[in-house]
Amino acid sequence: VRLAPMQLARKITLPLALSAFLALGFSAWLSVREAVELHHADIERDQSVAGRVFLAALERERQRGTAVEGAALLLAAANRYPELTLMKLAPVGELALSSAQREVLARGEPVFVVDIWHTAETWLATTLPDGTPGALWVQETLDAERDTVGRIVKSHVINFGTLGALWAVVAIGLGAVVVGRPMRSLAEKARRVSKGDYSGPLRIGQRDEIGQLAAEMNHMCDELLAARDRLQQEVAARSTAQDALRHADRLTTVGLLAAGIAHELGTPLNVVAMRAKMICTGEVAGDEAKDNASIIHQQAGQMTRIIRQLLDFARREPPRLTRFPLDQVAAQSVAMLAPLAEKGGCTLSLAPPGDGPVEIDGDPNQLQQVIANLVINSVQAMPQGGPVTLAVTKVRATPPPDLGGLEGRYARLDVIDRGAGIPPEALPRIFEPFFTTKPVGDGNGLGLPVAWGITRDHRGWIAVDSKPGLTTFSLFLPLERP
């Protein structure tokens, strides 16, 4: 998965930038609020002073006896600048005040009210010129306040923009140099490691957590490289040991086959010797001698075929992966192992094919060794003799958990015998090297482990179903190339 180069840098810088902007915004709000409160306090003080001066002047006019005319003149003079202050005398009944504000006014205290962004008003209790209770109303517009707040907000917006641009430049620069570039190098190194390339140490040049991560990754690559070299050496040694073990097992099988083939060769040798003697002594001549020579040639060819088959099985050859029919290899194995089975009193047979040739990919020589080991195991399991049957079919199967994989199409080769079966306590150990339940001299405990190893090399497995009187070794091999 490829990540955007600056994704980590954004994750680090964006929360910091947001926090800074929130802090600056809160500071700007406090600044505006403080300015507005100070302005309102100034307005309240100015209106209160102006109102009290007006009321003092009105009291002097009342003492002179010209309260009505003086009030009119004073109001006219005060209202010459309505954009600053507007004064008006009003009876108590006409005042647009709440009950709480009326109580404050009745105590002789001024009432100050601000209509945000529009006007500021002050009421001061007094006696009207006609002698009735009333109040002096002083009003001032807040245009100057709006201008002041606008200038403050504009100043903060400019500061925000400048700070944001500076923050973006710093974030991009630091993100690219401190985070982005090293992380891209780490990601590229990780991709090379995932492909098995451990060469080339990663050089970050930073003494921080990213630099420490790069150093640990270099150390990990060195360890993996050393482990891979050790593994290759161990695999090579294991392969050599397995090859030697399989060849030793093959030679053991050849020794067993030789005993059966010696009997198989006895009959054609007797025929050859008798026919040759008849020709040498002159007992036959002419066409009859020619017929005897032809019989000798046929028997010699049969013996050559038997010996060649045994030598081919004993030959040590490297694995050859080819596409071949498994049922044909099974038939050849039956022909080769039949004399050995007959010597043990067993009959070896191959069940008729079901749905045509069963072709797989693998090494036919190695799989022939697997079949030979399974057949010899079945023959030795029936010391009193009996039938050994081979059957090749196509099935759908799921590999065992230790092998892993999904359900698929497999070739199945069954080797069935009628022996006493395998004891349940020995069944889990039958594929262990040198483990055997046979009497001394009848087995070395390598046949089934070798067969198991070859089968696993072919991405297959061997299943065993054993009970008294019926044991089946089932060899599963994938029909498609792994």
Side-chain angles (χ1 to χ4, degrees):
V1 179
R2 289 185 176 269
L3 299 177
M6 296 296 295
Q7 188 173 6
L8 182 58
R10 286 197 297 269
K11 288 183 177 180
I12 296 174
T13 57
L14 285 181
L16 294 177
L18 181 59
S19 301
F21 282 130
L22 289 176
L24 290 175
F26 182 69
S27 176
W29 176 77
L30 290 178
S31 177
V32 172
R33 180 181 176 184
E34 182 180 3
V36 169
E37 289 179 351
L38 290 174
H39 190 253
H40 287 172
D42 291 340
I43 292 175
E44 182 180 5
R45 183 177 60 255
D46 293 343
Q47 288 184 354
S48 179
V49 171
R52 293 185 185 280
V53 170
F54 178 84
L55 292 178
L58 185 61
E59 181 64 24
R60 287 196 300 269
E61 292 296 326
R62 184 180 294 113
Q63 291 176 359
R64 292 176 183 176
T66 57
V68 176
E69 294 81 358
L73 291 173
L74 290 173
L75 288 174
N79 293 329
R80 289 180 59 186
Y81 304 99
E83 70 277 4
L84 298 177
T85 303
L86 179 64
M87 292 188 180
K88 183 180 179 182
L89 290 169
V92 175
E94 297 180 4
L95 300 180
L97 298 175
S98 65
S99 58
Q101 291 171 336
R102 289 177 182 273
E103 292 177 359
V104 173
L105 191 63
R107 293 196 300 267
E109 299 176 4
V111 175
F112 180 71
V113 177
V114 176
D115 182 9
I116 298 299
W117 308 121
H118 292 91
T119 60
E121 301 171 328
T122 301
W123 283 270
L124 295 104
T126 186
T127 302
L128 299 180
D130 59 359
T132 60
L136 176 64
W137 173 51
V138 183
Q139 183 187 56
E140 183 178 343
T141 63
L142 298 180
D143 294 339
E145 180 178 304
R146 286 198 297 272
D147 294 340
T148 301
V149 172
R151 288 193 300 270
I152 295 175
V153 172
K154 183 178 179 180
S155 174
H156 282 290
V157 169
I158 293 174
N159 291 338
F160 276 18
T162 304
L163 180 61
L166 180 61
W167 196 283
V169 172
V170 172
I172 293 174
L174 290 179
V177 176
V178 179
V179 179
R181 188 183 304 167
M183 294 307 295
R184 281 195 296 269
S185 300
L186 287 171
E188 180 62 28
K189 179 69 173 180
R191 281 192 290 271
R192 288 195 289 114
V193 169
S194 67
K195 297 178 181 178
D197 181 9
Y198 308 128
S199 61
L202 185 62
R203 304 189 184 278
I204 297 296
Q206 295 181 198
R207 296 182 178 274
D208 52 15
E209 288 78 1
I210 297 180
Q212 184 178 2
L213 178 60
E216 291 297 330
M217 183 172 286
N218 290 333
H219 179 69
M220 179 191 70
C221 290
D222 294 339
E223 292 294 329
L224 289 175
L225 190 60
R228 185 176 66 179
D229 293 339
R230 291 194 301 270
L231 180 61
Q232 289 176 347
Q233 295 174 0
E234 292 173 0
V235 168
R238 178 177 176 271
S239 178
T240 302
Q242 283 185 340
D243 186 57
L245 181 63
R246 291 172 184 176
H247 187 63
D249 178 72
R250 186 184 291 265
L251 294 180
T252 301
T253 305
V254 169
L256 295 174
L257 293 175
I261 290 177
H263 173 74
E264 191 75 7
L265 293 176
T267 300
L269 280 174
N270 290 333
V271 172
V272 168
M274 183 182 65
R275 298 291 179 173
K277 181 179 179 180
M278 292 175 63
I279 295 174
C280 291
T281 58
E283 295 183 21
V284 293
D287 293 339
E288 191 173 356
K290 185 183 295 186
D291 292 339
N292 285 334
S294 177
I295 293 173
I296 292 174
H297 181 268
Q298 292 176 358
Q299 295 298 320
Q302 181 179 356
M303 289 186 293
T304 301
R305 177 182 60 79
I306 294 174
I307 295 173
R308 173 59 57 189
Q309 192 175 31
L310 182 62
L311 292 177
D312 288 342
F313 181 80
R315 184 179 295 114
R316 183 171 187 169
E317 295 181 351
R320 293 182 298 107
L321 298 180
T322 59
R323 189 81 177 170
F324 66 94
L326 181 61
D327 45 350
Q328 181 177 339
V329 172
Q332 294 172 354
S333 300
V334 168
M336 179 182 67
L337 298 169
L340 174 64
E342 292 177 359
K343 182 182 178 183
C346 299
T347 58
L348 186 60
S349 62
L350 177 64
D355 49 357
V358 181
E359 293 189 348
I360 63 170
D361 291 286
D363 187 327
N365 288 332
Q366 288 188 356
L367 291 178
Q368 193 175 43
Q369 183 177 0
V370 173
I371 297 173
N373 287 348
L374 295 179
V375 169
I376 292 173
N377 185 74
S378 295
V379 170
Q380 292 177 344
M382 295 189 296
Q384 306 302 323
V388 178
T389 305
L390 274 67
V392 180
T393 55
K394 297 178 182 178
V395 296
R396 294 195 64 84
T398 301
D402 59 330
L403 182 61
L406 301 176
E407 179 183 353
R409 299 173 64 247
Y410 288 85
R412 174 174 173 170
L413 187 146
D414 292 328
V415 179
I416 307 169
D417 66 68
R418 302 286 178 175
I422 303 173
E425 64 276 8
L427 196 58
R429 302 185 58 193
I430 59 174
F431 295 113
E432 294 181 9
F434 306 109
F435 176 79
T436 180
T437 59
K438 300 171 185 176
V440 178
D442 287 348
N444 55 16
L446 292 178
L448 290 180
V450 168
W452 183 88
I454 294 175
T455 305
R456 283 303 175 97
D457 290 345
H458 285 73
R459 298 296 299 168
W461 72 94
I462 300 176
V464 184
D465 181 18
S466 181
K467 54 187 177 181
L470 182 63
T471 298
T472 302
F473 280 82
S474 298
L475 173 66
F476 291 88
L477 298 167
L479 289 173
E480 293 82 12
R481 183 184 295 272

